[in-house]
Amino acid sequence: MDQSVAIQETLADGEYCVIISFPAAVQGVLCEGDSRQSRLLGLVRYRPGRGGQEHALFLYTHRRMAITGDDVSLDQIVPITRDFTLEEVTPDGELYVLGSDVTVQLDTEELSLLFQLPFGSHTRTFLQEVARACPGFDPATPDPEFMWLSRYRCTEPEPEPEPPTPQAWNSAPGTWPGRIGGDLASGTGPVLFGGGATEQAGLRLAGVARGGGPLWGGGAGGGSSSDELRPNGKGLPVDQSSWGQNKPENSLSRQNKSKSEITNMVRSSTITVSDKAHILSVQKFGLRDTIVKSHLIQKEEDYTYIQNFRFFVGTYNVNGQSPKECLRPWLSHDTQAPDVYCVGFQELDLSKEAFFFHDTPKEEEWFKAVSESLHPDAKYAKVKLIRLVGIMLLLYVKQEHAAYISEVEAETVGTGIMGRMGNKGGVAVRFQFHNTSICVVNSHLAAHTEEYERRNQDYRDICSRMQFCQADPGLPPLTISKHDVILWLGDLNYRIEEPDVEKVKKLIEEKAFQTLYAYDQLRAQVAAKAVFEGFSEGELTFQPTYKYDTGSDDWDTSEKCRAPAWCDRVLWKGKNITQLSYQSHMALKTSDHKPVSSVFDIGVRVINEELYRKTLEEIVRSLDKMENANIPSVSLSRREFCFQNVKYMHLQVESFTIRNGQVPCQFEFISKPNEESYCKQWLRASPSRGFLLPDSAVEIELELFVNKTTATKLNSGEDKIEDILVLHLDRGKDYFLSVSGNYMPSCFGSPIHTLCYMKEPILDLPLETIRELTLMQLQTEDNGSQLEKPMDIPKELWILVDYLYRNAIQQEDLFQQPGLRSEFDHIRDCLDTGTIDNLCILSDVPVPVNHSVAEALLLFLESLPEPVICYSAYRNCLECSGNLTASKQVITTLPACHRNVFTYLMAFLQELLKNSAKNHLDDNILASIFGSLLLRNPAGHQKLEMAEKKKAQEFVHQFLTHPEPLSLLSYSA
């Protein structure tokens, strides 16, 4: 996922997060002693007015996967000066694994930080761009001044406590704190912005003096852990223990003392310095190289042979518990040591902090527990750890296989509410083992017996959205299906349909597992080809793995008395795979689930070096004869595409085929003159670039999807479903494709005041009327307009809230569990056509699922071009957060329609809280969910920092805990 977008939203005008072939941002881990804290690193460029350019590394703490600027918080800034170095290192005693995490050391004159970055194309490109950004040592080149960074300096620092710094602070208001006798204008040394600022002080800016060293504004590792970033916390806490400890000798001494007791058995592997040129050098991906690679793939059987390797695949839903028992009965039950371990967890941490923020101490606890329980007859190296909230996947290989692991990439997909939250979803690692590509997926799908369609949707979302960048930037991303071997594990949550719980338990007692399997939802969905098409699963010869009383082998005796089910599964897809065992492990009693394992012998293609060289020589010889071939040309199956009746958030796909002639060619969709992208925002070509061998063909899909970013201009007619795509052939000509269609206007993406003036459904109005109302300026008060008096609130909002008020006020996990996409389509159509009576008729479902209506409400609020609390009032809201009287005064300044909507929503949320014993909602959850929807930073301006994010939540929170005397029936549509 491109996290540089989130960074760009936090920057001021003129500052850019560098984007080349890949985003110049990478997510890594800051290592400080025994502490491991996630950081997002961005390379930011600024062009001073005097010419040239200056660069700095911006370090951010972040929530889950950083999607927008709201999800990140600036922690430190390290300017890239002449004495700046960022080098790959190999900590003492660590084992080299090609494809494992990369350890890099950041050094300036007085600063030393150690990071672990994920191996792969993102990191390689990031390090290359940082290297290019270094100013060099040419004395004729002016020294960077970094005047542009002054905007990030803090206000007057707090007088107490006075941190012990190497130099004295110049704390005069409005000045740069600098070294005694220092001179900003002539200073050239590094500047460090520490993460140890308080709410009042913000980020502390350290001055630069003649000759260079930083003045410390906080510890190098001053970023907040998940505990420090609680939703009710304020500001960025000061880690005073790190003051004055950022010198290289201190940092390195801590590194040497941080070795854990498991180092002798398991080592977090990195690439050795000697391999740096090989791994991190700029790779050349010319046409000739691509042709050679393609031919090698075609002739793979000529130079490889099949060799079996033992794979252990395990999954365990730990129910938010810490490890309490040895995991060897699960991980080391076989006499033969596996060659590869793939170990997945779900519900690693169920706390709100883990859900709303990224870090959790449970990650390290379970990593250590696994590492200590691997097979004792072998030594293993960790290749990758990837986590999304509570879903974690660990990959280990035997020490002797480490050199044959390459092309490691990891990705995550959240399928929670609004398709973003990571409480449900999947994580995956893909890698090359010898000459076989392998993808391992760990997923946690939607819960509850009746929600099998939502589980199916989660599976499809993971398959479509999980994409891995390739080393060659000219090639399209890899999807899960584009691998030789796929191993899919996790809490898939499919249940047993038999309604009689006692009958289920009786069949289990009789060990009639095949009779019980006939009622298994996953079996039925696979048979219907709804999910896991082409996958295999072993016979279920063990009793269901859910749900048990924690600490026992007894079935659930809680009030809900959940029926037993085979929730935890392992499936596979590919050739040369033999399952040797598939079992649960009843000895472990930490969770309400039992862990499951499957052991495979997998045939991997191993290269015969002599045959490989021979094949390569033959390909090169034949290629030499083609060097002077004709100009490439292709034929297109069609060049005109018409998308009919395009609707909000409803994907439409049209496809065509590119068929190549006799000359190998590379193709790419290119931008037209004066345009930044090859297509409009609502359109995408997949793949947008690629390579074709002679007489080969590729299918291109044109995907049209209208979202909150593009809907408003399509509603108003400022944009239309019209575009021209230019398909360019390398060394060949350009081909032009025409895209047209019509958009169905929607209440989604329409302004609040526009909808208040629409007495009729939007699709019953003439297009010109919709255009006029959408472009109408928002007025604070009635200005004597000739238009009819508007409704108090949009009728569409009233319909959604009224439905939830009447049907879902006690719905468990409301606003936390996603709805079905098909149901959202129906809800959108009902709102846009005014067929309210049809809202309760959703295909085969007698009534709409409450979660789908709740998610539709959130999507409606998110799609508003002007949020409920207008952009102009945003800053005032933050300033008076915590002062209810002042906050109410700000609300009174909003235009009437916005004021009414805010008051109406608060009354509804208060009603939900009155039923918290049933729906399990609390004021913090609702404030967090609705705070970011009702209060949004003005478009085009810097996104709010984490402290401001909390103020936005606090602003909403005070209205939830101080109810107004307002009934939900006060407004009528």
Side-chain angles (χ1 to χ4, degrees):
M1 181 175 289
D2 184 355
Q3 298 187 87
S4 62
V5 173
I7 291 180
Q8 184 61 56
E9 290 183 355
T10 71
L11 302 179
D13 292 341
E15 299 170 9
Y16 299 95
C17 186
V18 180
I19 301 178
I20 310 298
S21 299
F22 290 104
V26 65
Q27 183 176 320
V29 175
L30 175 63
C31 306
E32 202 183 29
D34 291 327
S35 172
R36 298 291 185 271
Q37 298 183 10
S38 183
R39 289 291 185 274
L40 187 61
L41 287 74
L43 175 61
V44 176
R45 181 188 68 213
Y46 182 79
R47 300 184 189 276
R50 58 182 171 81
Q53 55 187 20
E54 297 175 356
H55 294 82
L57 276 186
F58 280 47
L59 277 58
Y60 294 82
T61 57
H62 57 98
R63 301 168 56 193
R64 48 185 196 275
M65 180 62 70
I67 299 170
T68 71
D70 294 347
D71 297 327
V72 299
S73 180
L74 184 59
D75 179 56
Q76 301 178 62
I77 301 177
V78 184
I80 297 179
T81 59
R82 293 191 188 277
D83 67 348
F84 175 97
T85 62
L86 187 65
E87 295 182 327
E88 185 184 1
V89 297
T90 304
D92 295 338
E94 300 229 345
L95 178 66
Y96 157 69
V97 174
L98 179 61
S100 65
D101 292 347
V102 181
T103 302
V104 295
Q105 180 90 30
L106 186 158
D107 286 306
T108 65
E109 184 179 272
E110 297 185 23
L111 168 68
S112 184
L113 301 176
L114 192 71
F115 294 95
Q116 277 191 348
L117 306 180
F119 175 82
S121 52
H122 283 82
T123 294
R124 181 173 57 251
T125 304
F126 177 77
L127 294 178
Q128 290 166 1
E129 293 306 318
V130 172
R132 291 193 185 102
C134 291
F137 297 95
D138 182 2
T141 304
D143 289 329
E145 297 178 352
F146 299 110
M147 297 292 293
W148 54 286
L149 293 178
S150 62
R151 63 174 59 93
Y152 294 100
R153 70 180 177 84
C154 66
T155 59
E156 183 174 0
E158 292 289 313
E160 294 293 340
E162 184 73 24
T165 59
Q167 298 89 15
W169 287 102
N170 174 359
S171 57
T175 66
W176 289 47
R179 195 186 299 253
I180 295 176
D183 178 11
L184 169 66
S186 58
T188 60
V191 182
L192 173 67
F193 304 80
T198 64
E199 180 182 1
Q200 291 78 17
L203 278 169
R204 191 183 295 281
L205 169 64
V208 285
R210 193 187 311 274
L215 285 175
W216 309 113
S224 304
S225 67
S226 58
D227 289 336
E228 293 167 328
L229 289 175
R230 292 186 298 271
N232 60 349
K234 296 182 180 180
L236 292 171
V238 178
D239 181 7
Q240 297 181 14
S241 64
S242 63
W243 287 101
Q245 294 183 359
N246 295 305
K247 299 208 177 252
E249 59 269 25
N250 292 334
S251 178
L252 292 174
S253 66
R254 288 196 302 275
Q255 294 160 23
N256 293 332
K257 294 176 183 176
S258 67
K259 304 298 181 184
S260 71
E261 297 176 357
I262 63 173
T263 301
N264 291 331
M265 178 166 50
V266 183
R267 296 181 174 93
S268 176
S269 311
T270 58
I271 300 168
T272 59
V273 176
S274 60
D275 288 281
K276 184 177 180 181
H278 170 67
I279 300 299
L280 301 179
S281 61
V282 179
Q283 299 194 29
K284 306 293 184 183
F285 294 109
L287 178 59
R288 183 183 178 92
D289 297 324
T290 307
I291 296 173
V292 170
K293 183 178 179 180
S294 299
H295 280 292
L296 281 171
I297 293 173
Q298 287 186 333
K299 297 177 177 289
E300 183 182 43
E301 294 186 3
D302 294 348
Y303 59 87
T304 61
Y305 60 93
I306 300 295
Q307 179 178 337
N308 280 338
F309 293 88
R310 184 69 51 92
F311 279 65
F312 175 97
V313 180
T315 178
Y316 194 6
N317 182 318
V318 297
N319 192 33
Q321 302 297 309
S322 295
K324 301 172 183 175
E325 51 195 345
C326 178
L327 302 182
R328 280 197 174 177
W330 171 39
L331 300 175
S332 303
H333 64 85
D334 204 357
T335 56
Q336 180 178 336
D339 297 293
V340 180
Y341 271 101
C342 310
V343 183
F345 293 95
Q346 307 83 40
E347 295 191 359
L348 201 73
D349 193 331
L350 297 177
S351 67
K352 294 183 180 70
E353 287 78 14
F355 180 70
F356 290 113
F357 305 100
H358 187 75
D359 291 332
T360 169
K362 299 289 179 66
E363 175 182 307
E364 184 66 27
E365 292 174 7
W366 281 101
F367 165 62
K368 183 178 180 182
V370 171
S371 300
E372 292 174 339
S373 300
L374 299 181
H375 205 287
D377 293 344
K379 288 190 176 182
Y380 293 90
K382 186 199 80 175
V383 176
K384 179 62 72 176
L385 182 157
I386 181 73
R387 181 176 60 82
L388 174 67
V389 188
I391 311 169
M392 184 169 78
L393 178 61
L394 284 160
L395 178 66
Y396 301 85
V397 298
K398 269 186 181 178
Q399 173 177 309
E400 56 266 33
H401 302 320
Y404 302 100
I405 299 287
S406 62
E407 299 181 29
V408 180
E409 295 282 351
E411 286 294 344
T412 66
V413 170
T415 61
I417 190 75
M418 300 172 73
R420 286 175 52 173
M421 294 300 188
N423 55 322
K424 292 294 188 290
V427 300
V429 176
R430 64 90 50 204
F431 60 99
Q432 196 83 3
F433 187 28
H434 288 279
N435 219 47
T436 294
S437 61
I438 299 174
C439 183
V440 185
V441 185
N442 174 22
S443 66
H444 190 192
L445 308 185
H448 306 303
T449 302
E450 68 279 5
E451 303 289 3
Y452 65 88
E453 280 289 356
R454 191 169 284 108
R455 288 188 274 280
N456 295 351
Q457 178 176 291
D458 287 350
Y459 166 81
R460 290 190 295 267
D461 282 348
I462 292 170
C463 288
S464 63
R465 292 167 51 198
M466 191 77 75
Q467 297 188 339
F468 307 94
C469 292
Q470 299 200 61
D472 181 350
L475 296 177
L478 288 172
T479 58
I480 293 172
S481 63
K482 301 296 185 182
H483 291 83
D484 300 322
V485 173
I486 305 170
L487 302 172
W488 198 304
L489 58 111
D491 179 358
L492 306 186
N493 251 325
Y494 288 94
R495 308 301 174 91
I496 292 172
E497 286 284 5
E498 171 56 54
D500 187 347
V501 176
E502 292 307 315
K503 179 180 178 181
V504 172
K505 292 179 180 179
K506 187 172 187 300
L507 289 172
I508 295 171
E509 185 178 346
E510 296 171 353
K511 297 191 182 300
F513 297 138
Q514 288 310 299
T515 302
L516 189 60
Y517 182 61
Y519 299 101
D520 180 64
Q521 286 182 340
L522 181 57
R523 181 203 64 79
Q525 295 307 305
V526 170
K529 297 185 177 182
V531 291
F532 291 104
E533 191 169 358
F535 280 78
S536 301
E537 184 184 18
E539 182 180 347
L540 295 173
T541 59
F542 51 91
Q543 70 183 49
T545 56
Y546 175 83
K547 179 182 183 181
Y548 296 87
D549 286 341
T550 301
S552 75
D553 293 334
D554 300 327
W555 297 116
D556 179 28
T557 58
S558 68
E559 180 182 350
K560 294 181 179 179
C561 195
R562 302 281 193 193
W566 284 294
C567 290
D568 310 283
R569 314 288 274 265
V570 177
L571 298 93
W572 75 89
K573 186 177 184 179
K575 298 178 180 179
N576 305 313
I577 303 176
T578 303
Q579 188 178 55
L580 304 179
S581 69
Y582 190 25
Q583 61 185 300
S584 65
H585 299 271
M586 299 293 293
L588 298 187
K589 308 180 192 300
T590 297
S591 173
D592 56 356
H593 288 248
K594 299 297 182 182
V596 169
S597 71
S598 181
V599 177
F600 298 94
D601 270 348
I602 298 181
V604 172
R605 287 201 168 273
V606 178
I607 293 176
N608 180 307
E609 294 295 341
E610 183 177 347
L611 293 177
Y612 175 80
R613 285 194 296 269
K614 182 179 177 181
T615 304
L616 180 60
E617 290 171 1
E618 291 174 355
I619 293 172
V620 172
R621 278 198 299 270
S622 65
L623 187 59
D624 288 339
K625 299 176 183 179
M626 300 170 58
E627 287 294 318
N628 297 318
N630 296 325
I631 295 175
S633 65
V634 299
S635 62
L636 309 183
S637 62
R638 55 189 294 203
R639 301 194 190 188
E640 295 184 356
F641 306 87
C642 185
F643 293 86
Q644 296 287 346
N645 299 329
V646 176
K647 295 181 178 180
Y648 183 79
M649 286 188 67
H650 183 79
L651 178 67
Q652 285 198 32
V653 180
E654 296 283 341
S655 62
F656 70 100
T657 301
I658 305 176
R659 184 166 296 281
N660 193 24
Q662 299 304 307
V663 181
C665 75
Q666 283 181 310
F667 67 87
E668 179 181 7
F669 288 96
I670 61 172
S671 302
K672 299 179 286 294
N674 302 319
E675 294 189 7
E676 295 182 358
S677 177
Y678 69 85
C679 65
K680 291 188 176 180
Q681 283 184 285
W682 38 259
L683 187 64
R684 186 172 80 97
S686 179
S688 62
R689 60 177 72 177
F691 169 79
L692 286 170
L693 287 170
D695 294 320
S696 63
V698 64
E699 183 177 61
I700 307 294
E701 290 187 337
L702 298 182
E703 302 172 351
L704 198 157
F705 187 76
V706 176
N707 59 17
K708 61 180 181 180
T709 306
T710 53
T712 304
K713 287 190 175 181
L714 287 168
N715 278 341
S716 69
E718 295 173 279
D719 191 14
K720 296 181 179 179
I721 305 296
E722 293 178 356
D723 203 1
I724 299 293
L725 303 184
V726 181
L727 179 65
H728 173 73
L729 299 187
D730 186 28
R731 300 183 300 117
K733 67 175 186 177
D734 293 340
Y735 298 79
F736 297 90
L737 289 75
S738 171
V739 175
S740 62
N742 69 293
Y743 181 67
M744 307 288 286
S746 175
C747 62
F748 289 87
S750 295
I752 290 177
H753 66 285
T754 297
L755 294 173
C756 286
Y757 277 103
M758 289 184 180
K759 302 294 181 67
E760 302 297 322
I762 191 169
L763 287 179
D764 287 352
L765 297 174
L767 291 178
E768 185 57 33
T769 301
I770 298 173
R771 171 182 170 81
E772 291 176 359
L773 291 176
T774 304
L775 294 176
M776 180 177 62
Q777 293 296 312
L778 175 62
Q779 302 294 331
T780 304
E781 296 297 340
D782 184 11
N783 61 346
S785 169
Q786 298 301 312
L787 293 171
E788 256 185 89
K789 185 179 184 301
M791 295 177 288
D792 291 332
I793 62 173
K795 58 188 178 302
E796 295 83 1
L797 176 67
W798 179 85
I799 292 170
L800 293 172
V801 171
D802 184 66
Y803 176 86
L804 294 173
Y805 179 63
R806 296 177 187 278
N807 299 280
I809 202 76
Q810 297 183 348
Q811 175 67 58
E812 185 178 352
D813 295 331
L814 196 69
F815 295 117
Q816 296 177 85
Q817 184 170 317
L820 282 174
R821 196 155 299 124
S822 59
E823 293 173 355
F824 170 77
D825 289 344
H826 182 88
I827 294 166
R828 178 205 57 224
D829 291 347
C830 288
L831 296 176
D832 290 340
T833 59
T835 52
I836 304 175
D837 294 339
N838 292 339
L839 190 61
C840 296
I841 305 174
L842 287 173
S843 61
D844 299 329
V845 184
V847 293
V849 177
N850 295 335
H851 295 300
S852 296
V853 178
E855 187 170 27
L857 173 60
L858 297 181
L859 291 170
F860 175 82
L861 296 174
E862 184 187 46
S863 73
L864 295 171
E866 180 87 16
V868 174
I869 297 178
C870 301
Y871 288 129
S872 59
Y874 167 77
R875 187 57 57 185
N876 289 338
C877 289
L878 293 190
E879 290 175 355
C880 67
S881 178
N883 184 333
L884 183 60
T885 302
S887 298
K888 290 179 180 178
Q889 183 60 38
V890 173
I891 296 300
T892 63
T893 66
L894 297 177
C897 54
H898 285 251
R899 184 170 64 247
N900 293 341
V901 167
F902 179 82
T903 308
Y904 185 64
L905 288 172
M906 290 303 102
F908 169 58
L909 297 183
Q910 291 159 11
E911 291 297 319
L912 284 177
L913 291 175
K914 292 177 183 177
N915 291 269
S916 59
K918 294 286 187 179
N919 58 37
H920 297 162
L921 290 169
D922 64 37
D923 44 23
N924 286 323
I925 291 176
L926 291 177
S928 179
I929 293 171
F930 282 85
S932 59
L933 295 174
L934 304 182
L935 260 173
R936 283 187 256 141
N937 218 27
H941 290 71
Q942 181 179 339
K943 286 287 182 177
L944 64 166
E945 299 290 342
M946 190 65 73
E948 293 187 3
K949 177 72 173 178
K950 291 174 183 175
K951 285 188 177 183
Q953 294 174 5
E954 187 179 352
F955 182 87
V956 173
H957 184 269
Q958 60 191 346
F959 285 91
L960 299 180
T961 54
H962 296 83
E964 291 293 300
L966 174 72
S967 166
L968 279 173
L969 303 178
S970 297
Y971 295 113
S972 169

